PDB file of all heavy atoms in Angstrom:
ATOM      1  N   THR A 145     369.620 228.573 321.370  1.00  0.00           N
ATOM      2  CA  THR A 145     369.055 227.976 322.572  1.00  0.00           C
ATOM      3  C   THR A 145     369.252 226.478 322.544  1.00  0.00           C
ATOM      4  O   THR A 145     369.501 225.860 323.555  1.00  0.00           O
ATOM      5  CB  THR A 145     367.551 228.274 322.685  1.00  0.00           C
ATOM      6  OG1 THR A 145     367.016 228.190 321.359  1.00  0.00           O
ATOM      7  CG2 THR A 145     367.320 229.644 323.264  1.00  0.00           C
ATOM      8  N   ARG A 146     369.128 225.956 321.355  1.00  0.00           N
ATOM      9  CA  ARG A 146     369.222 224.508 321.253  1.00  0.00           C
ATOM     10  C   ARG A 146     370.579 224.019 321.716  1.00  0.00           C
ATOM     11  O   ARG A 146     370.710 223.051 322.409  1.00  0.00           O
ATOM     12  CB  ARG A 146     369.008 224.101 319.797  1.00  0.00           C
ATOM     13  CG  ARG A 146     368.891 222.628 319.621  1.00  0.00           C
ATOM     14  CD  ARG A 146     368.788 222.304 318.158  1.00  0.00           C
ATOM     15  NE  ARG A 146     370.045 222.548 317.493  1.00  0.00           N
ATOM     16  CZ  ARG A 146     370.152 222.825 316.188  1.00  0.00           C
ATOM     17  NH1 ARG A 146     369.079 222.921 315.465  1.00  0.00           N
ATOM     18  NH2 ARG A 146     371.319 223.000 315.649  1.00  0.00           N
ATOM     19  N   GLN A 147     371.564 224.755 321.322  1.00  0.00           N
ATOM     20  CA  GLN A 147     372.886 224.285 321.681  1.00  0.00           C
ATOM     21  C   GLN A 147     373.139 224.384 323.173  1.00  0.00           C
ATOM     22  O   GLN A 147     373.967 223.675 323.712  1.00  0.00           O
ATOM     23  CB  GLN A 147     373.937 225.068 320.908  1.00  0.00           C
ATOM     24  CG  GLN A 147     374.246 224.353 319.607  1.00  0.00           C
ATOM     25  CD  GLN A 147     374.815 225.268 318.571  1.00  0.00           C
ATOM     26  OE1 GLN A 147     375.070 226.440 318.834  1.00  0.00           O
ATOM     27  NE2 GLN A 147     374.988 224.745 317.385  1.00  0.00           N
ATOM     28  N   LYS A 148     372.419 225.310 323.789  1.00  0.00           N
ATOM     29  CA  LYS A 148     372.645 225.446 325.227  1.00  0.00           C
ATOM     30  C   LYS A 148     371.986 224.327 326.001  1.00  0.00           C
ATOM     31  O   LYS A 148     372.320 224.070 327.142  1.00  0.00           O
ATOM     32  CB  LYS A 148     372.110 226.796 325.698  1.00  0.00           C
ATOM     33  CG  LYS A 148     373.171 227.886 325.528  1.00  0.00           C
ATOM     34  CD  LYS A 148     372.637 229.196 325.998  1.00  0.00           C
ATOM     35  CE  LYS A 148     373.317 230.334 325.257  1.00  0.00           C
ATOM     36  NZ  LYS A 148     372.395 231.410 324.967  1.00  0.00           N
ATOM     37  N   ARG A 149     371.010 223.726 325.376  1.00  0.00           N
ATOM     38  CA  ARG A 149     370.349 222.646 326.116  1.00  0.00           C
ATOM     39  C   ARG A 149     371.313 221.508 326.332  1.00  0.00           C
ATOM     40  O   ARG A 149     372.199 221.261 325.516  1.00  0.00           O
ATOM     41  CB  ARG A 149     369.161 222.131 325.297  1.00  0.00           C
ATOM     42  CG  ARG A 149     368.028 223.098 325.270  1.00  0.00           C
ATOM     43  CD  ARG A 149     367.086 222.701 324.203  1.00  0.00           C
ATOM     44  NE  ARG A 149     366.132 221.704 324.680  1.00  0.00           N
ATOM     45  CZ  ARG A 149     365.340 221.060 323.859  1.00  0.00           C
ATOM     46  NH1 ARG A 149     365.402 221.258 322.575  1.00  0.00           N
ATOM     47  NH2 ARG A 149     364.481 220.191 324.344  1.00  0.00           N
ATOM     48  N   SER A 150     371.113 220.841 327.408  1.00  0.00           N
ATOM     49  CA  SER A 150     372.024 219.730 327.671  1.00  0.00           C
ATOM     50  C   SER A 150     371.682 218.585 326.737  1.00  0.00           C
ATOM     51  O   SER A 150     370.587 218.502 326.198  1.00  0.00           O
ATOM     52  CB  SER A 150     371.873 219.276 329.105  1.00  0.00           C
ATOM     53  OG  SER A 150     370.662 218.574 329.225  1.00  0.00           O
ATOM     54  N   TYR A 151     372.611 217.744 326.544  1.00  0.00           N
ATOM     55  CA  TYR A 151     372.372 216.617 325.647  1.00  0.00           C
ATOM     56  C   TYR A 151     371.294 215.698 326.197  1.00  0.00           C
ATOM     57  O   TYR A 151     370.552 215.081 325.466  1.00  0.00           O
ATOM     58  CB  TYR A 151     373.663 215.830 325.445  1.00  0.00           C
ATOM     59  CG  TYR A 151     374.767 216.697 324.983  1.00  0.00           C
ATOM     60  CD1 TYR A 151     375.989 216.689 325.642  1.00  0.00           C
ATOM     61  CD2 TYR A 151     374.592 217.543 323.901  1.00  0.00           C
ATOM     62  CE1 TYR A 151     376.996 217.509 325.220  1.00  0.00           C
ATOM     63  CE2 TYR A 151     375.596 218.362 323.489  1.00  0.00           C
ATOM     64  CZ  TYR A 151     376.815 218.357 324.144  1.00  0.00           C
ATOM     65  OH  TYR A 151     377.826 219.156 323.730  1.00  0.00           O
ATOM     66  N   GLU A 152     371.236 215.656 327.478  1.00  0.00           N
ATOM     67  CA  GLU A 152     370.232 214.807 328.114  1.00  0.00           C
ATOM     68  C   GLU A 152     368.844 215.155 327.589  1.00  0.00           C
ATOM     69  O   GLU A 152     368.075 214.311 327.197  1.00  0.00           O
ATOM     70  CB  GLU A 152     370.239 215.035 329.628  1.00  0.00           C
ATOM     71  CG  GLU A 152     370.811 213.883 330.405  1.00  0.00           C
ATOM     72  CD  GLU A 152     372.288 213.739 330.110  1.00  0.00           C
ATOM     73  OE1 GLU A 152     372.959 214.722 329.764  1.00  0.00           O
ATOM     74  OE2 GLU A 152     372.763 212.635 330.214  1.00  0.00           O
ATOM     75  N   GLU A 153     368.594 216.433 327.581  1.00  0.00           N
ATOM     76  CA  GLU A 153     367.274 216.895 327.183  1.00  0.00           C
ATOM     77  C   GLU A 153     366.960 216.479 325.752  1.00  0.00           C
ATOM     78  O   GLU A 153     365.876 216.060 325.451  1.00  0.00           O
ATOM     79  CB  GLU A 153     367.216 218.410 327.298  1.00  0.00           C
ATOM     80  CG  GLU A 153     366.238 218.877 328.341  1.00  0.00           C
ATOM     81  CD  GLU A 153     366.307 220.378 328.435  1.00  0.00           C
ATOM     82  OE1 GLU A 153     367.332 220.895 328.924  1.00  0.00           O
ATOM     83  OE2 GLU A 153     365.349 221.016 327.988  1.00  0.00           O
ATOM     84  N   ASP A 154     367.944 216.650 324.926  1.00  0.00           N
ATOM     85  CA  ASP A 154     367.778 216.260 323.531  1.00  0.00           C
ATOM     86  C   ASP A 154     367.363 214.814 323.424  1.00  0.00           C
ATOM     87  O   ASP A 154     366.488 214.448 322.666  1.00  0.00           O
ATOM     88  CB  ASP A 154     369.107 216.416 322.784  1.00  0.00           C
ATOM     89  CG  ASP A 154     369.206 217.810 322.213  1.00  0.00           C
ATOM     90  OD1 ASP A 154     368.259 218.583 322.438  1.00  0.00           O
ATOM     91  OD2 ASP A 154     370.215 218.088 321.565  1.00  0.00           O
ATOM     92  N   ASP A 155     368.004 214.028 324.211  1.00  0.00           N
ATOM     93  CA  ASP A 155     367.748 212.606 324.112  1.00  0.00           C
ATOM     94  C   ASP A 155     366.373 212.267 324.644  1.00  0.00           C
ATOM     95  O   ASP A 155     365.722 211.342 324.174  1.00  0.00           O
ATOM     96  CB  ASP A 155     368.811 211.830 324.866  1.00  0.00           C
ATOM     97  CG  ASP A 155     370.144 211.980 324.168  1.00  0.00           C
ATOM     98  OD1 ASP A 155     370.162 211.964 322.913  1.00  0.00           O
ATOM     99  OD2 ASP A 155     371.143 212.148 324.862  1.00  0.00           O
ATOM    100  N   ASP A 156     365.954 213.033 325.624  1.00  0.00           N
ATOM    101  CA  ASP A 156     364.603 212.801 326.120  1.00  0.00           C
ATOM    102  C   ASP A 156     363.599 213.069 325.019  1.00  0.00           C
ATOM    103  O   ASP A 156     362.662 212.317 324.814  1.00  0.00           O
ATOM    104  CB  ASP A 156     364.313 213.709 327.318  1.00  0.00           C
ATOM    105  CG  ASP A 156     365.043 213.225 328.548  1.00  0.00           C
ATOM    106  OD1 ASP A 156     365.491 212.047 328.519  1.00  0.00           O
ATOM    107  OD2 ASP A 156     365.180 213.996 329.491  1.00  0.00           O
ATOM    108  N   ASP A 157     363.828 214.141 324.315  1.00  0.00           N
ATOM    109  CA  ASP A 157     362.953 214.459 323.184  1.00  0.00           C
ATOM    110  C   ASP A 157     362.805 213.261 322.276  1.00  0.00           C
ATOM    111  O   ASP A 157     361.732 212.909 321.844  1.00  0.00           O
ATOM    112  CB  ASP A 157     363.560 215.593 322.361  1.00  0.00           C
ATOM    113  CG  ASP A 157     363.219 216.939 322.954  1.00  0.00           C
ATOM    114  OD1 ASP A 157     362.442 216.950 323.943  1.00  0.00           O
ATOM    115  OD2 ASP A 157     363.709 217.929 322.447  1.00  0.00           O
TER     116      ASP A 157
END
Side-chain angles (χ1 to χ4, degrees):
Chain A
T145 39
R146 188 184 70 205
Q147 269 157 5
K148 273 180 208 142
R149 288 166 85 191
S150 74
Y151 306 128
E152 251 67 27
E153 245 177 290
D154 270 1
D155 293 321
D156 286 344
D157 276 355

